């Protein structure tokens, strides 16, 4: 069974033994406080802001920055060789509502992902998992992918992509659903029934979230560089 | 809708503004983590092996400049995971503390891999030779003698760094479009501010000067050639910004 439902071959020579040994030696004397905060693995799916038909298996490795916010690294699989393909920030409804209106479309809802059973914590028993997912169902997320493994990119190419998440039945590709259900021995349908009691954001899904119901694309633009070097810059 | 070179509208999420540098930024919005969330996390961690995260075996500290405004510079902490001898992937944070903000991702490839990329792609990447030779890039806490071979390899690599949280601007939540970053260089506007380096050196007990790392790396082999398609600003005098705009979405079902 493949580690990820998207298989690409990253170019490059195998890691040399000397390199690996040295890394282990130096790593032992270094601090890793920010990544030691990562305590949770969530699996779900993302699709591109301008193309729902391109969907990605996304493994979230998350840390709480505080009760209202988590920051997650997104990998394309659960194993040691997984590729780091993006980031996700997860905020409570209260924090989401503080965002400027032009920011809100970049964020997606989690209610359907949780309630439909497709978002899960590999290896965690349902009864434990559901205690946290009750909270996640009410949150909003902002996901950016930098590496388009679903189209077979062997390296991270092009510009970042704003990703969206599932919001209703019929969106998730059956082949991807089958791949993940089989790999983890989970049943989305069965979990959906277990989670029927959960509810989404208290104020309902904000109309500006989920790309304001439309789509999003990213482009790179060449700009003139400000030249004045005036030491530390003050923002007003 | 949103651009990396555009300031967010003032709201609690955008903070009150701050000076350059990262450490001065106010903390993220939100209530302290509750005991029940902590307990949940501890429980999950016991059951979940988190293998990709355990692959991060190197902590490197350096500096980065926004590609759209190189006057804006920050201290970056890279937690590096090796995919193979030629390709590294890094989670980038604004400090090395437990409360650090995850501000972006950097990919690092060897010169051999870089040469295989299309020119259109190469312009988004920066070179590392100066940054390493100048003693700016260092594996925190590792004696120079032990990092020499890794730094020698690093000097020949290229990086592509996307910043998703402009914390140095005072943003208390990640706002706007992701921004492309570039590396420090020996010429303006690519020089990193001296006080930023001094502050880092003091806090981490590093001496990046000619008496310290820079001096120790004088003999380090330099790349024979730095591809001129990298470090786009040096040849073209222009930067890059990222725009997120409303568009049509190709769909196989209604949305949302």
């Amino acid at each position: 069974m493949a580690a990820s439902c998207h298989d690409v071959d990253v170019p490059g020579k195998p890691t040399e033994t000397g390199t690996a040994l040295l890394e282990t030696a130096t790593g032992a004397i270094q601090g890793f406080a920010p990544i030691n905060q990562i305590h949770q693995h969530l699996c779900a799916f993302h699709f591109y802001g301008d193309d729902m038909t391109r969907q990605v298996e996304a493994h979230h490795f998350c840390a709480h920055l505080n009760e209202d916010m988590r920051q997650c690294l997104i990998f394309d699989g659960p194993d040691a060789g997984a590729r780091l393909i993006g980031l996700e920030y997860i905020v409570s409804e209260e924090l989401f509502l503080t965002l400027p209106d032009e920011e809100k479309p970049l964020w997606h809802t989690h209610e359907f992902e949780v309630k439909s059973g497709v978002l899960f914590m590999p290896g965690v028993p349902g009864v434990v998992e559901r205690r946290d997912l009750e909270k996640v169902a009410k949150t909003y997320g902002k996901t950016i992918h930098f590496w388009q493994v679903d189209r077979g990119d062997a390296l991270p190419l092009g510009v970042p992509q704003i990703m969206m998440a599932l919001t209703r039945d019929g969106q998730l590709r059956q082949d991807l659903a089958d791949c993940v259900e089989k790999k983890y021995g989970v049943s989305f349908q069965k979990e959906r029934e277990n989670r029927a009691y959960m509810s989404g954001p208290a104020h309902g899904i904000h109309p500006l979230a989920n790309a304001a119901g439309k789509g999003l694309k990213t482009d790179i633009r060449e700009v003139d560089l400000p030249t004045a070097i005036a030491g530390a810059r003050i923002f007003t | 809708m949103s651009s990396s070179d555009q300031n967010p509208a003032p709201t609690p999420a955008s903070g009150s503004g701050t000076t350059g540098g990262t450490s001065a930024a106010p903390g993220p919005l939100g209530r302290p983590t509750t005991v029940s969330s902590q307990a949940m996390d501890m429980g999950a961690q016991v059951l979940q092996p988190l293998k990709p995260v355990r692959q991060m075996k190197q902590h490197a500290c350096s500096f980065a400049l926004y590609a759209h405004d190189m006057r804006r510079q920050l201290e970056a902490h890279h937690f590096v995971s090796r995919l193979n001898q030629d390709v590294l992937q890094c989670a980038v944070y604004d400090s090395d503390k437990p409360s650090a903000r995850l501000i972006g991702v950097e990919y690092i490839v060897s010169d051999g891999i870089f040469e295989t990329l299309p020119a259109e792609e190469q312009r988004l990447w920066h070179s590392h030779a100066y940054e390493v030779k100048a003693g700016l890039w260092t594996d925190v806490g590792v004696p120079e003698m032990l990092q020499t071979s890794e730094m020698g390899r690093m000097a020949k690599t290229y990086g592509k760094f996307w910043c998703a949280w402009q914390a140095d601007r005072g943003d208390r939540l990640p706002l706007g479009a992701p921004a492309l970053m570039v590396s420090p260089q020996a010429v303006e506007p690519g020089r990193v501010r001296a006080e930023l380096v001094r502050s880092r050196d003091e806090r981490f007990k590093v001496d990046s000067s000619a008496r310290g790392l820079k001096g120790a790396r004088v003999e380090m082999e330099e790349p024979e050639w730095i591809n001129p398609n990298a470090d786009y600003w040096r040849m073209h005098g222009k930067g890059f910004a990222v725009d997120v705009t409303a568009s049509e979405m190709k769909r196989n079902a209604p949305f949302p």
Side-chain angles (χ1 to χ4, degrees):
Chain A
M1 179 68 65
S4 170
C5 299
H6 316 281
D7 244 354
V8 302
D9 244 343
V10 180
K13 297 179 291 293
T15 305
E16 292 166 13
T17 310
T19 306
L21 283 175
L22 188 64
E23 260 176 13
T24 304
T26 56
I29 55 173
Q30 292 198 291
F32 295 88
I35 58 170
N36 288 341
Q37 293 299 305
I38 298 174
H39 285 310
Q40 187 180 56
H41 171 197
L42 296 158
C43 179
F45 303 94
H46 296 146
F47 57 81
Y48 291 82
D50 63 353
D51 189 351
M52 176 190 288
T53 68
R54 290 181 56 199
Q55 305 184 348
V56 187
E57 173 191 1
H59 292 265
H60 303 56
F61 292 85
C62 301
H64 273 103
L65 260 184
N66 58 48
E67 186 63 17
D68 291 287
M69 183 175 191
R70 306 179 200 197
Q71 52 188 14
C72 313
L73 299 170
I74 311 289
F75 289 85
D76 69 346
D79 294 329
R83 291 158 292 244
L84 174 60
I85 58 172
L87 300 177
E88 177 160 348
Y89 301 101
I90 298 175
V91 299
S92 64
E93 182 182 18
E94 288 85 345
L95 291 199
F96 174 81
L97 293 173
T98 70
L99 298 172
D101 279 354
E102 74 266 19
E103 173 71 21
K104 291 188 175 92
L106 278 54
W107 296 68
H108 59 263
T109 47
H110 289 134
E111 179 178 354
F112 180 81
E113 277 191 291
V114 171
K115 292 203 63 174
S116 65
V118 304
L119 189 157
F120 65 104
M121 296 167 66
V124 177
V127 61
V128 180
E129 172 187 71
R130 287 193 285 278
R131 272 185 49 207
D132 190 48
L133 296 187
E134 288 166 7
K135 289 185 193 169
V136 176
K138 300 176 191 299
T139 60
Y140 290 83
K142 181 183 190 179
T143 300
I144 305 169
H145 280 196
F146 308 108
W147 191 338
Q148 302 186 37
V149 288
D150 63 293
R151 68 175 184 193
D153 285 5
L155 290 166
L157 302 176
V159 296
Q161 305 289 316
I162 307 292
M163 307 299 283
M164 289 289 137
L166 303 169
T167 57
R168 65 167 72 212
D169 284 322
Q171 293 172 343
L172 179 59
R173 276 175 31 201
Q174 196 56 46
D175 56 329
L176 202 53
D178 291 346
C179 174
V180 169
E181 283 189 297
K182 198 170 156 203
K183 198 161 48 164
Y184 293 96
V186 294
S187 160
F188 296 156
Q189 183 54 40
K190 201 161 151 259
E191 253 320 287
R192 172 188 295 233
E193 291 158 18
N194 291 335
R195 299 178 192 175
Y197 72 93
M198 293 185 191
S199 54
H203 299 280
I205 289 174
H206 197 286
L208 287 178
N210 298 318
K214 300 185 185 68
L216 293 172
K217 67 178 173 64
T218 41
D219 294 290
I220 195 115
R221 166 171 46 93
E222 196 179 282
V223 296
D224 288 325
L225 281 171
T227 46
I229 305 291
R233 198 175 159 204
I234 310 292
F235 294 97
T236 51
Chain B
M1 187 165 282
S2 194
S3 298
S4 60
D5 60 345
Q6 169 201 337
N7 286 337
T11 69
S14 57
S16 53
T18 182
T19 54
T22 318
S23 49
L29 285 183
R31 298 159 296 171
T33 312
T34 60
V35 175
S36 78
S37 292
Q38 283 170 4
M40 180 72 211
D41 280 352
M42 300 308 279
Q45 197 189 13
V46 170
L47 298 163
Q48 301 190 302
L50 312 177
K51 285 184 200 163
V53 177
R54 299 285 165 256
Q55 292 307 303
M56 297 181 165
K57 293 177 181 161
Q58 201 186 129
H59 167 207
C61 176
S62 190
F63 303 90
L65 300 74
Y66 285 90
H68 66 262
D69 182 354
M70 294 170 63
R71 298 172 303 176
R72 287 181 54 197
Q73 311 181 343
L74 49 85
E75 179 183 310
H77 291 266
H78 291 63
F79 294 88
V80 187
S81 140
R82 177 176 295 281
L83 280 174
N84 61 45
Q85 191 67 18
D86 295 286
V87 182
L88 304 170
Q89 52 189 12
C90 317
V92 185
Y93 290 80
D94 69 344
S95 86
D96 68 334
K97 299 193 170 67
S99 60
R101 281 164 287 219
L102 173 60
I103 60 169
V105 168
E106 177 160 350
Y107 300 99
I108 297 173
V109 299
S110 65
D111 49 356
I113 299 277
F114 184 78
E115 294 301 330
T116 69
L117 297 174
E120 179 80 359
E121 172 68 27
Q122 286 175 333
R123 62 189 188 144
L124 302 176
W125 295 67
H126 56 260
S127 62
H128 284 142
Y130 171 78
E131 194 175 352
V132 171
K133 294 274 291 180
L136 298 172
W137 181 288
T138 182
D139 281 357
V140 177
V142 177
E144 179 65 9
M145 208 178 9
L146 268 179
Q147 37 173 319
T148 308
S149 66
E150 177 60 19
M151 289 304 117
R153 242 191 327 268
M154 196 61 76
K156 294 180 184 171
T157 63
Y158 295 84
K160 185 187 194 186
F161 178 3
W162 296 107
C163 174
W165 189 347
Q166 301 192 29
D168 64 300
R169 182 168 72 178
D171 293 2
R172 301 189 68 191
L173 293 173
L175 299 175
L180 184 67
M181 309 299 283
V182 299
S183 58
Q185 299 289 341
V187 293
E188 294 296 357
R191 284 179 173 282
V192 61
R193 286 194 304 276
E195 73 266 23
L196 215 52
V197 181
R198 197 166 338 138
S199 159
R200 189 277 306 261
D201 284 8
E202 276 172 18
R203 272 179 290 118
F204 293 96
K205 303 188 172 39
V206 170
D207 179 5
S208 56
S209 76
R211 290 181 306 279
L213 298 183
K214 191 176 178 180
R217 295 177 186 177
V218 163
E219 298 295 318
M220 184 182 285
E221 201 185 327
E222 288 201 48
E224 288 158 28
W225 190 62
I226 293 176
N227 190 310
N229 289 336
D231 311 315
Y232 187 81
W233 60 271
R234 295 197 67 168
M235 288 280 279
H236 304 270
K238 301 278 188 181
F240 287 118
V242 176
D243 298 318
V244 177
T245 50
S247 79
E248 290 302 307
M249 182 190 287
K250 189 177 167 191
R251 301 171 187 204
N252 53 356
F255 180 78

